[in-house]
Amino acid sequence: HRCTDDAPLPVHVSEAIVDRAAGNPMFLNQLIAAATSTHDEALPESIEGVIAARIDRLLPDDRNVLRQLSVLGNGFRPEYADVVLAEPATPGLFKRLAEFLEVGPGWVQFHSSLAHQAAYGGLPYRQRRDLHGKVAESIERTQGGAALLSVHYSAAARWVKAWRYARLAGDQSKKIYANLDAADFYEQALEAARYVPETTTKERIEVLTSLGEVHYLAGLYDQAGSAIRRARQAADDPIDIASLCLKEAKIAHKRGRFSQALRWTTKGMKALDGIDTIEAEAERAQLRVWTSGMRYAQGRLREAMRASEQAIEEAERAGHRPALAHAYYLHDAARVWSGLPGTNDFSWRALAIYEELGDLKEQAVV
């Protein structure tokens, strides 16, 4: 490698660069760029240090502009630059920052996330918060997406709007099975709720429950259990408690802890003692179905059949079609594995319900 004046790097500097890079090609290139541009033999300890040093070598105005642009994210539409800058952005400005920014048709991108982080980290907190607020207001005026609004209003500490948009972004991400993104937004919502006295316990329980559900779907059972536990501890409505106990049972089932799952279904049943509403009957049917399923998983097939028969009665009274189909299927499955005769009539009924509901996964199971 050679410096800009075509003179080779001293051997000891080259060897130090290779040693410091420790096999990281990006760090290697950054160290070479630092050494050849400054002729300084003192090498930074980290790639972040290299990038921060390069930013510090910019002219003060350009350095401030780069840091302000970092509020827009790792990549952004060029028209948003004027929202955070005191003066309109020009092609000349982007050209001077070409070491850090790549400008394409309708899009500006930092060369790396590390460059973006280094620029963003150089902004004072108060200025960062104010700029995020301006960006959020601009996006809101153009009816932009909830995800961006959640990020910017949260960073601006505008908690009422952060609470609103984070919940909406979480629900939208959950709907398209972007479970990890949804979890991030629900966490943002819960953080915002700490500063919004108007939020109700019911609303926070709903967000915690959704957080547990997306962690569960992502296979993150420890995190799912933590969120559901927090929701259950805050709940005082018996039906909510029963529903959350069922979610605890499902998490225990995924971990293969069938006895623990049964304890949760029992707790859920107890929460519903003396309540005869349709909603309570629907929760009771679902808890009973999962009791049957846990007995089936344990190989206690006759008990599984008895629980499924009770679940069928409860689901029919409540008109809860998914629980009824599940109970039908479990009853026939337990009967078949018990070696008892039968016509599989319940399985056909289960299949018909799942076809009616459009549930392809459960159709395949049956």
Side-chain angles (χ1 to χ4, degrees):
H1 294 283
R2 296 179 179 273
C3 296
T4 53
D5 59 5
D6 208 34
L9 285 171
V11 172
H12 70 282
V13 174
S14 297
E15 291 176 347
I17 287 173
V18 171
D19 183 63
R20 182 67 53 80
N24 184 321
M26 185 177 182
F27 193 13
L28 177 66
N29 285 328
Q30 295 290 342
L31 286 170
I32 292 169
T36 56
S37 62
T38 64
H39 302 278
D40 186 353
E41 296 185 7
L43 299 174
E45 294 293 330
S46 67
I47 190 168
E48 293 84 358
V50 174
I51 295 171
R54 287 168 52 202
I55 291 174
D56 286 342
R57 287 196 296 272
L58 290 170
L59 293 173
D61 287 347
D62 289 347
R63 181 168 63 243
N64 290 335
V65 164
L66 183 69
R67 288 172 173 167
Q68 290 162 6
L69 290 173
S70 71
V71 169
L72 296 170
N74 197 38
F76 54 90
R77 286 157 45 186
E79 58 265 31
Y80 277 113
D82 293 345
V83 176
V84 297
L85 300 180
E87 297 181 1
T90 64
L93 171 66
F94 288 126
K95 186 175 181 180
R96 294 199 304 275
L97 298 176
E99 184 181 359
F100 301 97
L101 299 176
E102 180 178 349
V103 180
W107 194 251
V108 180
Q109 183 82 33
F110 276 82
H111 284 310
S112 71
S113 60
L114 290 173
H116 171 251
Q117 290 165 12
Y120 188 74
L123 271 177
Y125 176 74
R126 183 181 295 276
Q127 184 183 14
R128 184 188 306 177
R129 188 178 63 188
D130 291 344
L131 291 175
H132 276 293
K134 289 181 180 180
V135 174
E137 290 169 355
S138 176
I139 295 171
E140 195 171 31
R141 282 194 298 271
T142 58
Q143 298 183 331
L148 279 175
L149 287 166
S150 168
V151 170
H152 286 293
Y153 273 128
S154 293
R158 305 268 287 274
W159 299 118
V160 172
K161 290 196 172 184
W163 162 247
R164 172 189 171 190
Y165 287 115
R167 292 176 69 194
L168 181 57
D171 292 343
Q172 290 173 345
S173 297
K174 181 183 178 185
K175 189 175 182 179
I176 61 171
Y177 307 104
N179 295 312
L180 296 180
D181 288 341
D184 287 341
F185 288 124
Y186 288 136
E187 292 281 13
Q188 283 182 11
L190 291 168
E191 174 65 18
R194 295 173 54 200
Y195 305 100
V196 184
E198 297 82 5
T199 58
T200 65
T201 300
K202 186 81 170 177
E203 288 173 326
R204 290 193 293 274
I205 288 172
E206 287 174 356
V207 175
L208 281 166
T209 301
S210 295
L211 177 61
E213 289 170 350
V214 294
H215 277 317
Y216 177 86
L217 291 170
L220 302 172
Y221 301 125
D222 286 344
Q223 294 90 324
S226 175
I228 296 301
R229 182 167 54 254
R230 289 166 62 194
R232 181 173 48 78
Q233 290 169 347
D236 56 9
D237 180 84
I239 293 177
D240 286 344
I241 293 170
S243 176
L244 291 163
C245 284
L246 177 58
K247 294 182 188 301
E248 295 268 24
K250 290 180 179 180
I251 294 168
H253 167 253
K254 282 293 187 181
R255 290 169 161 170
R257 300 172 183 173
F258 304 137
S259 295
Q260 186 181 78
L262 283 166
R263 287 195 292 273
W264 281 116
T265 58
T266 300
K267 286 183 180 181
M269 292 285 193
K270 287 181 178 178
L272 297 172
D273 281 350
I275 303 176
D276 298 323
T277 64
I278 291 295
E279 292 81 5
E281 195 74 348
E283 287 297 336
R284 196 175 285 113
Q286 294 176 82
L287 287 160
R288 194 86 64 187
V289 165
W290 275 83
T291 298
S292 174
M294 293 308 98
R295 292 304 188 196
Y296 178 85
Q298 290 176 325
R300 298 166 70 170
L301 302 175
R302 298 299 180 97
E303 293 179 45
M305 290 177 65
R306 286 196 293 271
S308 67
E309 288 166 358
Q310 289 178 281
I312 289 169
E313 294 177 6
E314 290 161 345
E316 286 176 339
R317 286 197 295 269
H320 196 288
R321 305 289 281 166
L324 181 59
H326 196 178
Y328 279 154
Y329 163 72
L330 281 170
H331 188 279
D332 264 2
R335 178 190 55 75
V336 167
W337 285 105
S338 296
L340 298 175
T343 61
N344 296 319
D345 181 58
F346 280 159
S347 292
W348 290 115
R349 294 185 198 178
L351 184 59
I353 293 173
Y354 286 133
E355 288 173 343
E356 170 195 322
L357 296 173
D359 191 331
L360 295 175
K361 173 179 172 289
E362 295 303 330
Q363 288 176 50
V365 169
V366 175

